[in-house]
Amino acid sequence: MFDKVISPCRSRRLHRYFRNGKLTLLCLILTVIMFRAYLGAGRFGTPEKDLNEIRQTFAYLRRRAEPRRILESVSTASQFHSRVYRYADFDAARIFNDGDGGGVGELKRNESEPYRLGARISDWDNERLRWLRRNPKFPNFVGRRKPRVLLVTGSSPKPCENPVGDHYLLKSLKNKVDYCRLHGLEMFYNMALLDAEMSGFWAKLPLIRKLLVSHPEVELLWWMDSDAMFTDMAFELPWERYKNHNLILHGWDHKVYGEKHWVGLNTGSFLLRNCQWSLDLLDVWAPMGPVGKAREEAGEVLTRELKDRPVFEADDQSAMVYILATQREKWKDKVYLENAFYLHGYWGILVDRYEEMIDSYHPGLGDQRWPLVTHFVGCKPCGEFGDYSVERCLKQMNRAYNFGDNQILQMYGFGHKTLASRRVVRIRNDSGKPLEVEDEFGLLHPPFKSVKLNSY
Amino acid sequence: MFDKVISPCRSRRLHRYFRNGKLTLLCLILTVIMFRAYLGAGRFGTPEKDLNEIRQTFAYLRRRAEPRRILESVSTASQFHSRVYRYADFDAARIFNDGDGGGVGELKRNESEPYRLGARISDWDNERLRWLRRNPKFPNFVGRRKPRVLLVTGSSPKPCENPVGDHYLLKSLKNKVDYCRLHGLEMFYNMALLDAEMSGFWAKLPLIRKLLVSHPEVELLWWMDSDAMFTDMAFELPWERYKNHNLILHGWDHKVYGEKHWVGLNTGSFLLRNCQWSLDLLDVWAPMGPVGKAREEAGEVLTRELKDRPVFEADDQSAMVYILATQREKWKDKVYLENAFYLHGYWGILVDRYEEMIDSYHPGLGDQRWPLVTHFVGCKPCGEFGDYSVERCLKQMNRAYNFGDNQILQMYGFGHKTLASRRVVRIRNDSGKPLEVEDEFGLLHPPFKSVKLNSY
């Protein structure tokens, strides 16, 4: 009807009027809200609610074109504050910029400021000692010369892009649960990104620091990647060997200190003592990690300074080589580069030999004859499917899992039909005398399971 | 060239010659192999290798048309024998009929024979007691009046059909790892089908029996379904309450003994004491389980005898109701039907109330105010995707997981942004005094973690 009555010129003017009118109306609404907010609570509602409404309105106007995620982060953070944690102090203003893929809503750090893992702790050894004395029920040694060990691992909180990736993560976790149960280790599986800046392989640093300072009773923290699997269930770490060291990694002295080779050591499986030295090392390690300029520029330094390193952003492993090689006087005497057994075992040289190992050796050796850990470096079971090497990875991870699982199943008289098969078969007849079965590798009631997690 | 020179009649004859010639050559090869086999080892290779070659050749000729799986089972079983378990006695003839979906290669049982979980054990209490006395380093009580508990759970060895199913299994396992670490429980995650006849929900029976008799040090075995999650990390089971009972399940006396209601109790989360009584109960429980005629006919009985039971094959839970209701004089006095807290909590009446619980209550209660366990009965996170109720299930499982996970994260100053979000945010500022943070629910160093898994 309007179209018939109103001329084109006039219709354009009317449109302009309406558009301006909408804007005017919006400003009016905002003004009213702001008035209410500053008038305070009472007949008009709470200031907090109003301030939230203002934030949301401005957020909407400002970010209308931005991904939905940001908008959600502002409004749901408010909900979170008011609903989930009434019992904790919480600064809602800190939920400012969640960012894409970021785990934590934090005020964006000024990139010129140095990155910090947390508030400075400088007297940890004494504080920890005092705590241990006050808490004798949580000793840091749980057996004759056996430290309390916390095995820490984890994976992304997101489902894997590769449909079978989570299945491998599940098996990998079961594998670690089995080893820890046999060896009296505690375990922490992390699925939370504690610091959005420290994403990917760097995510372990904030986690490790947090666990160390929250659990003074833990003597050694054993970090292990999710793509590393235990393949020797009978091998107990030689704890005494490390009593004077604070960082134990698989690697070679000459490769790290001599060649500065980028894979001279491996940070996919390492032990870190709970002490000030370790907190200091973490503080020195972390600054190459924050995503963005820091990580990229550090990557260039590492490629330039380390032997054979490809071009890519800084990773925690290369950073560690660099730190040890360039600050050896500070760290070297407390670092043990272990290569007598496979604290980390590169899968490429191990997985095709499993049958030969079964033929010739037995669990408990931990080394190239029967590796403690088979680590699938370079495999991405959680990533996109389709690459031939992903198929090889998955097939070999399955074999490695079964190789380790056979050592668990044999305790109960079973074993996988083949290293490729998920099916299990009996390997001995069922007698009516379960306590007289031969416990071939002594895994049912092993001496290294003798721990007292707390004393009386 | 041949086609030009040779007439049709002659070409048919030639073809026949060639075909027969091939067969003759094959027979010749087999004969040579058999000769070598019976001549023994030495210059000609090992007899075992030869026998394997013969088996494989015959298997090929005989089963060429059959599904590849059977062929693999014969040849790989031989490989398995010769390669994987040289150190164990093994009867390869028992690998007879693996069947589809069957986990174990066993001689097919004559269905008229009663099903047995294993060789009869009749003096377990005394045998166990003798073992415990001989092995003081593995006591069955690990704390002041606290029994050694093994939490047992598991899932299929196959990847889930639903792509996100394994992700939920992973989170569910992490959830249990967290609870067990805090409460000083050991854990066993099973991914092996020990008895092909006892598939599905019945698979737990052979597993439970095997673990009980292999681990006399375990006082209580706590079975928990993979679709059940801990939602109260602070609740410690009242062990003393059960000291005179051997089976503890969530349920109601009147529902089981009075109404014979098919959900009068729940076998998704229950405790079983390690004793002869329990082995006897398992023996009485198992016969309704074997897949096929036994399970179907038992299903008909259960539907007829129990209240409100739908028509389907026998399940372990209905079978337990039936056994307790019809043999109460034998079992009732040692069975505790717990309903003071949610040893099992039906998700349908809990998950929409989490925010209300956070508003009004706190961890440590274990009951309808803050349920110990939220159990997603009827959900199939591992099954086919697409059903609305599956969506609701997955969404609520996520919320339940986050609800429980928040109780872990809060120890470290973090929490999920919302119960729906995998992102975490800080809930308190990071101070330089980690040992002075308020441990609100006492979960960092809880008294119920005071266990000595082995004494000195």
Side-chain angles (χ1 to χ4, degrees):
Chain A
M1 187 177 73
F2 265 75
D3 291 347
K4 281 192 282 188
V5 173
I6 303 171
S7 78
C9 291
R10 282 187 70 197
S11 75
R12 277 200 296 276
R13 268 206 316 272
L14 273 166
H15 276 156
R16 203 160 51 238
Y17 288 148
F18 276 116
R19 201 172 58 234
N20 290 342
K22 275 198 274 190
L23 210 52
T24 308
L25 189 61
L26 191 59
C27 289
L28 185 66
I29 291 170
L30 278 176
T31 310
V32 168
I33 291 171
M34 288 186 75
F35 252 124
R36 286 179 61 196
Y38 288 103
L39 281 178
R43 281 176 292 159
F44 301 107
T46 66
E48 205 166 3
K49 258 191 176 164
D50 291 326
L51 280 168
N52 281 343
E53 282 179 44
I54 291 165
R55 280 197 196 107
Q56 287 178 35
T57 310
F58 276 123
Y60 175 72
L61 290 172
R62 202 170 56 222
R63 299 176 198 274
R64 206 164 40 144
E66 292 196 29
R68 184 171 164 67
R69 234 184 325 233
I70 308 282
L71 180 63
E72 270 175 7
S73 81
V74 175
S75 59
T76 52
S78 309
Q79 287 167 13
F80 167 79
H81 177 211
S82 63
R83 298 178 78 186
V84 177
Y85 281 97
R86 290 268 169 82
Y87 52 78
D89 280 342
F90 182 68
D91 179 5
R94 292 179 69 82
I95 303 296
F96 179 77
N97 179 16
D98 215 4
D100 272 329
V104 184
E106 297 280 347
L107 281 168
K108 245 178 115 68
R109 183 178 58 91
N110 182 344
E111 282 205 23
S112 59
E113 286 172 32
Y115 175 82
R116 300 193 71 87
L117 275 174
R120 176 93 184 115
I121 297 170
S122 54
D123 194 31
W124 180 237
D125 290 340
N126 284 330
E127 288 183 39
R128 185 173 174 247
L129 190 60
R130 279 195 293 269
W131 188 94
L132 286 169
R133 284 183 180 145
R134 282 195 317 264
N135 291 273
K137 289 196 174 182
F138 289 86
N140 55 328
F141 276 76
V142 296
R144 203 161 285 133
R145 294 188 289 269
K146 178 162 176 167
R148 182 192 298 266
V149 178
L150 179 68
L151 189 127
V152 182
T153 182
S155 57
S156 166
K158 291 196 281 200
C160 289
E161 287 176 32
N162 179 353
V164 297
D166 280 300
H167 185 69
Y168 284 89
L169 288 173
L170 179 70
K171 289 166 79 164
S172 180
L173 175 49
K174 170 198 154 58
N175 168 275
K176 294 177 176 77
V177 165
D178 284 330
Y179 185 89
C180 289
R181 183 182 65 253
L182 262 53
H183 291 264
L185 314 183
E186 296 185 60
M187 188 164 72
F188 188 96
Y189 195 90
N190 182 55
M191 289 179 88
L193 181 61
L194 303 188
D195 186 337
E197 292 196 79
M198 300 291 269
S199 56
F201 23 61
W202 290 97
K204 61 172 80 73
L205 266 67
L207 174 68
I208 290 173
R209 186 186 201 262
K210 176 62 73 174
L211 289 171
L212 288 177
V213 302
S214 304
H215 293 286
E217 72 278 15
V218 167
E219 181 63 25
L220 284 173
L221 188 149
W222 185 348
W223 168 265
M224 203 159 149
D225 280 358
S226 61
D227 57 2
M229 267 200 267
F230 283 106
T231 36
D232 190 341
M233 292 293 177
F235 185 84
E236 170 81 345
L237 258 63
W239 305 111
E240 273 292 284
R241 187 182 300 177
Y242 310 131
K243 64 183 177 196
N244 296 318
H245 296 85
N246 296 334
L247 173 62
I248 299 98
L249 321 99
H250 186 272
W252 301 267
D253 279 356
H254 69 279
K255 284 273 186 199
V256 171
Y257 303 109
E259 295 177 34
K260 288 204 285 191
H261 201 288
W262 85 289
V263 293
L265 52 76
N266 191 282
T267 52
S269 172
F270 65 89
L271 299 149
L272 190 66
R273 195 172 298 279
N274 195 350
C275 57
Q276 185 64 50
W277 182 100
S278 299
L279 299 186
D280 295 343
L281 180 66
L282 287 167
D283 281 343
V284 166
W285 198 5
M288 287 194 173
V291 71
K293 194 156 151 242
R295 199 184 288 192
E296 313 244 349
E297 289 181 357
E300 290 165 14
V301 171
L302 295 171
T303 300
R304 189 180 67 233
E305 296 292 319
L306 302 183
K307 187 176 180 207
D308 287 356
R309 186 181 192 270
V311 174
F312 69 109
E313 58 182 14
D315 65 296
D316 63 299
Q317 182 173 293
S318 306
M320 180 58 75
V321 176
Y322 182 73
I323 290 166
L324 295 187
T326 57
Q327 302 179 31
R328 69 186 68 183
E329 61 293 340
K330 194 166 177 194
W331 310 107
K332 185 175 190 286
D333 66 328
K334 291 293 187 186
V335 177
Y336 196 109
L337 289 169
E338 176 67 89
N339 46 63
F341 66 92
Y342 279 127
L343 178 61
H344 138 87
Y346 169 55
W347 69 285
I349 58 170
L350 297 171
V351 295
D352 297 307
R353 295 182 37 237
Y354 286 144
E355 282 82 3
E356 173 200 313
M357 293 174 193
I358 294 165
D359 276 353
S360 312
Y361 302 112
H362 54 82
L365 303 171
D367 55 19
Q368 71 283 355
R369 299 167 295 173
W370 202 284
L372 172 65
V373 171
T374 301
H375 183 192
F376 288 85
V377 283
C379 285
K380 290 194 182 1
C382 208
E384 284 292 335
F385 198 83
D387 182 37
Y388 171 79
S389 66
V390 171
E391 281 182 59
R392 168 154 164 88
C393 282
L394 295 182
K395 180 182 172 187
Q396 295 305 328
M397 287 176 83
N398 206 40
R399 279 164 50 79
Y401 167 83
N402 286 345
F403 183 85
D405 196 37
N406 274 344
Q407 297 162 54
I408 301 297
L409 291 171
Q410 62 80 28
M411 290 193 266
Y412 308 112
F414 289 86
H416 285 268
K417 239 175 72 167
T418 69
L419 287 188
S421 173
R422 55 179 168 250
R423 290 186 187 166
V424 301
V425 294
R426 283 189 189 280
I427 59 166
R428 59 173 178 261
N429 288 329
D430 182 29
S431 73
K433 301 278 173 195
L435 297 178
E436 291 172 22
V437 296
E438 190 195 344
D439 181 15
E440 181 163 358
F441 307 120
L443 290 178
L444 276 170
H445 306 98
F448 41 70
K449 197 180 173 185
S450 289
V451 294
K452 40 177 187 167
L453 291 187
N454 281 286
S455 63
Y456 276 78
Chain B
M1 186 176 73
F2 265 74
D3 293 346
K4 280 191 284 191
V5 173
I6 303 167
S7 79
C9 291
R10 281 188 70 195
S11 77
R12 275 200 299 276
R13 269 209 312 274
L14 272 168
H15 276 155
R16 206 164 42 242
Y17 287 148
F18 275 116
R19 201 173 56 235
N20 290 343
K22 273 196 278 187
L23 211 51
T24 308
L25 190 61
L26 191 60
C27 290
L28 185 64
I29 290 169
L30 279 176
T31 309
V32 169
I33 291 170
M34 289 187 76
F35 252 124
R36 285 178 62 196
Y38 287 103
L39 279 177
R43 278 175 293 159
F44 303 105
T46 65
E48 209 163 1
K49 259 190 178 165
D50 292 326
L51 280 167
N52 281 344
E53 283 178 41
I54 291 166
R55 282 196 193 105
Q56 286 178 34
T57 311
F58 276 122
Y60 176 72
L61 290 173
R62 200 171 59 226
R63 296 176 199 273
R64 206 164 41 143
E66 291 197 29
R68 185 165 165 68
R69 225 180 342 228
I70 307 281
L71 179 65
E72 270 175 6
S73 82
V74 174
S75 59
T76 51
S78 309
Q79 287 166 14
F80 168 80
H81 177 211
S82 63
R83 301 176 79 186
V84 177
Y85 282 98
R86 290 266 171 84
Y87 52 79
D89 279 342
F90 182 70
D91 179 4
R94 293 179 70 81
I95 303 298
F96 180 76
N97 179 16
D98 214 6
D100 274 329
V104 183
E106 298 280 346
L107 283 167
K108 250 177 109 67
R109 183 179 60 91
N110 181 343
E111 283 205 22
S112 60
E113 286 173 31
Y115 175 83
R116 302 193 68 87
L117 274 174
R120 177 92 185 117
I121 297 171
S122 54
D123 194 32
W124 180 238
D125 290 341
N126 284 329
E127 287 183 40
R128 182 173 177 248
L129 191 61
R130 278 194 293 269
W131 189 94
L132 285 168
R133 284 182 179 147
R134 281 196 317 264
N135 293 273
K137 289 195 173 183
F138 290 87
N140 56 329
F141 275 76
V142 295
R144 205 163 284 133
R145 295 189 288 269
K146 178 162 175 166
R148 182 192 299 266
V149 177
L150 179 67
L151 189 127
V152 182
T153 182
S155 57
S156 167
K158 292 195 281 198
C160 288
E161 285 175 32
N162 178 354
V164 297
D166 280 300
H167 185 69
Y168 284 88
L169 287 173
L170 179 68
K171 287 164 81 164
S172 179
L173 174 49
K174 170 199 155 55
N175 168 275
K176 295 179 176 74
V177 165
D178 285 330
Y179 185 89
C180 289
R181 182 181 65 255
L182 262 52
H183 290 264
L185 314 183
E186 296 182 63
M187 187 165 71
F188 188 95
Y189 194 91
N190 182 55
M191 289 178 88
L193 181 60
L194 302 187
D195 186 336
E197 293 196 79
M198 299 291 269
S199 56
F201 23 61
W202 290 97
K204 62 172 77 76
L205 266 68
L207 174 68
I208 289 173
R209 186 185 200 262
K210 175 61 73 174
L211 289 171
L212 287 177
V213 302
S214 304
H215 292 287
E217 73 279 14
V218 168
E219 180 63 25
L220 284 173
L221 188 150
W222 184 348
W223 167 264
M224 202 158 150
D225 281 358
S226 60
D227 59 0
M229 266 201 265
F230 283 106
T231 36
D232 190 340
M233 292 294 176
F235 185 84
E236 170 82 345
L237 258 63
W239 306 111
E240 272 294 281
R241 187 182 301 177
Y242 310 131
K243 63 185 178 194
N244 296 319
H245 297 86
N246 296 335
L247 173 64
I248 299 96
L249 321 97
H250 186 273
W252 302 267
D253 279 356
H254 68 279
K255 284 273 186 198
V256 171
Y257 303 110
E259 295 178 34
K260 287 205 285 191
H261 200 289
W262 84 289
V263 293
L265 53 76
N266 191 283
T267 52
S269 171
F270 66 88
L271 299 149
L272 189 66
R273 194 170 299 278
N274 195 350
C275 56
Q276 185 65 49
W277 182 100
S278 299
L279 298 186
D280 295 343
L281 179 66
L282 288 167
D283 281 344
V284 166
W285 198 5
M288 288 194 172
V291 70
K293 198 159 149 235
R295 198 184 290 191
E296 306 214 2
E297 290 181 356
E300 290 165 15
V301 171
L302 295 171
T303 299
R304 188 181 67 234
E305 296 292 319
L306 302 183
K307 187 178 180 204
D308 287 354
R309 187 182 191 269
V311 174
F312 69 110
E313 58 182 13
D315 64 296
D316 62 299
Q317 181 173 291
S318 306
M320 180 57 76
V321 176
Y322 182 74
I323 289 166
L324 295 188
T326 58
Q327 301 179 31
R328 70 187 67 186
E329 60 293 339
K330 191 165 179 195
W331 309 107
K332 186 174 190 282
D333 66 327
K334 290 293 186 184
V335 176
Y336 196 109
L337 288 170
E338 175 68 90
N339 47 63
F341 65 92
Y342 279 128
L343 179 61
H344 138 86
Y346 170 56
W347 69 284
I349 58 170
L350 295 172
V351 293
D352 296 307
R353 297 182 35 236
Y354 286 144
E355 281 82 1
E356 174 199 311
M357 294 174 192
I358 293 165
D359 277 353
S360 312
Y361 302 112
H362 54 81
L365 303 171
D367 56 20
Q368 72 282 356
R369 297 168 295 172
W370 203 285
L372 172 66
V373 171
T374 302
H375 184 192
F376 288 86
V377 283
C379 286
K380 289 190 179 11
C382 210
E384 285 292 333
F385 199 83
D387 181 38
Y388 172 79
S389 65
V390 171
E391 280 181 61
R392 169 155 165 87
C393 282
L394 294 183
K395 181 180 171 189
Q396 296 304 328
M397 286 177 83
N398 207 39
R399 280 163 51 79
Y401 167 83
N402 286 346
F403 183 84
D405 196 37
N406 275 343
Q407 297 163 54
I408 301 298
L409 292 172
Q410 63 81 29
M411 290 193 266
Y412 308 111
F414 288 86
H416 285 267
K417 238 175 73 165
T418 70
L419 288 187
S421 172
R422 55 178 168 253
R423 290 186 187 167
V424 300
V425 294
R426 282 190 190 280
I427 59 167
R428 60 174 177 263
N429 288 330
D430 182 28
S431 72
K433 301 278 174 194
L435 297 177
E436 291 173 21
V437 295
E438 192 195 341
D439 182 13
E440 182 164 356
F441 307 119
L443 291 178
L444 276 169
H445 306 97
F448 40 71
K449 198 180 174 185
S450 292
V451 295
K452 37 177 186 167
L453 292 186
N454 282 285
S455 63
Y456 275 77

